[in-house]
Amino acid sequence: MSRKKFIAGNWKMNTTVDDACRLAQEIVTAVGKATDVDIAICPPYTNLSEVSKVIKESAVTLGAQDVHWETSGAYTGKVSCSMLKSVGVTYVIIGHSEQRQYFHETDETVNKKVTAALAAGLLPIVCVGETLDERKSGAMDTVIERQTKGAFRGISREDALKCTIAYEPVWAIGTGETATPKQANDAHIFIRNIYTGLYGDQAASQIRIQYGGSMKPENAKELLAQSDVDGGLIGGASLKAASFLRIVQPA
Ligand code: PGA
């Protein structure tokens, strides 16, 4: 089973509306209407609506960086799935390590968000990954297994197939340090095996697992050549059209 590569740019808390539209336009101009990889860009909430207009009729799709699981109500500062859908969002990043580290994201809230997103017709990008301490202490497998099983608790096979998993070793995010292609691939194989346990071989052969953590033009080709690396979730290198495009369209 060959899986179409999926490259997503996570812009984090960067770009004003003007910056975002400019960056999106540069990407759209280069990519056009068709690509042999799936592409998403995930700007901050404030820019989704305008960026949605820029990428309309291109092969570039829109993602959000988080979502709240409730449908509406007194949740100051939060954004619901239907709000995201109303501005043209297709994907939503859930369980990013920065949410886990700084904003009290837990396996339980990840699961609630994944459940709500799927019910609303959004496609989750579920992030898992270990910290440096967890890797050094040998807890990596336990942590990744707990995060993965936690995220998919109660999710049907059909819905689970609509998700993407992003393996993001926390020690490699924004640090310039990257997992070696073998480290990344080993982790991806481990995650795919967990997924096999949950949903069977066929589903596991279809689910895409992105690598995230300082993926950049210099290392993307080798990472993406690994058997189980099906794309990338790109932070820093997605903020410049040229470097994002070199990952999407390697020379
Ligand atoms: P990075 O971020 O590419 O800047 O390391 C990746 C991510 O956090 O999604």
Side-chain angles (χ1 to χ4, degrees):
M1 164 98 212
S2 84
R3 295 174 292 268
K4 192 176 182 186
K5 296 271 195 268
F6 177 21
I7 308 286
N10 173 10
W11 295 1
K12 308 194 180 183
M13 197 173 73
N14 296 291
T15 67
T16 60
V17 175
D18 285 352
D19 298 335
C21 288
R22 209 174 306 123
L23 179 53
Q25 186 59 60
E26 284 172 27
I27 295 167
V28 164
T29 304
V31 166
K33 287 183 196 273
T35 52
D36 46 13
V37 296
D38 287 332
I39 302 171
I41 51 178
C42 308
Y45 289 144
T46 47
N47 304 341
L48 290 170
S49 186
E50 289 302 313
V51 168
S52 172
K53 294 175 198 159
V54 175
I55 63 176
K56 211 171 167 191
E57 288 165 33
S58 80
V60 180
T61 55
L62 194 60
Q65 298 174 16
D66 190 25
V67 70
H68 190 53
W69 57 86
E70 294 291 350
T71 49
S72 64
Y75 301 101
T76 303
K78 297 295 172 208
V79 166
S80 73
C81 296
S82 61
M83 293 174 191
L84 295 180
K85 294 264 306 183
S86 75
V87 291
V89 167
T90 302
Y91 295 97
V92 58
I93 298 170
I94 295 175
H96 191 279
S97 67
E98 285 150 18
Q99 287 288 336
R100 294 181 193 259
Q101 262 183 301
Y102 309 136
F103 304 111
H104 313 293
E105 185 90 275
T106 63
D107 294 332
E108 198 190 343
T109 58
V110 168
N111 181 244
K112 284 182 174 179
K113 291 175 181 183
V114 171
T115 306
L118 288 164
L122 291 168
L123 307 178
I125 299 175
V126 179
C127 303
V128 301
E130 80 289 356
T131 63
L132 190 56
D133 279 353
E134 288 162 349
R135 177 173 274 263
K136 280 186 175 159
S137 70
M140 174 181 165
D141 289 3
T142 319
V143 168
I144 291 178
E145 184 167 0
R146 193 201 70 223
Q147 290 175 339
T148 308
K149 287 187 172 167
F152 287 99
R153 188 167 301 126
I155 305 293
S156 69
R157 180 179 179 279
E158 192 191 344
D159 274 346
L161 277 168
K162 296 175 188 154
C163 297
T164 300
I165 299 174
Y167 168 61
E168 300 214 304
V170 180
W171 47 273
I173 295 178
T175 57
E177 202 159 318
T178 323
T180 63
K182 179 166 182 340
Q183 280 174 327
N185 206 41
D186 286 350
H188 285 222
I189 291 169
F190 180 72
I191 293 166
R192 202 178 299 284
N193 281 336
I194 297 167
Y195 195 90
T196 305
L198 296 173
Y199 299 111
D201 283 334
Q202 209 205 333
S205 71
Q206 289 174 46
I207 185 87
R208 291 187 293 195
I209 307 178
Q210 296 174 323
Y211 170 79
S214 301
M215 188 186 264
K216 44 192 179 237
E218 295 73 31
N219 60 26
K221 210 169 171 182
E222 209 185 340
L223 284 160
L224 292 169
Q226 302 302 308
S227 65
D228 284 74
V229 177
D230 308 314
L233 182 56
I234 325 288
S238 72
L239 290 170
K240 290 261 183 304
S243 57
F244 186 64
L245 289 164
R246 274 175 62 207
I247 298 172
V248 170
Q249 308 167 317

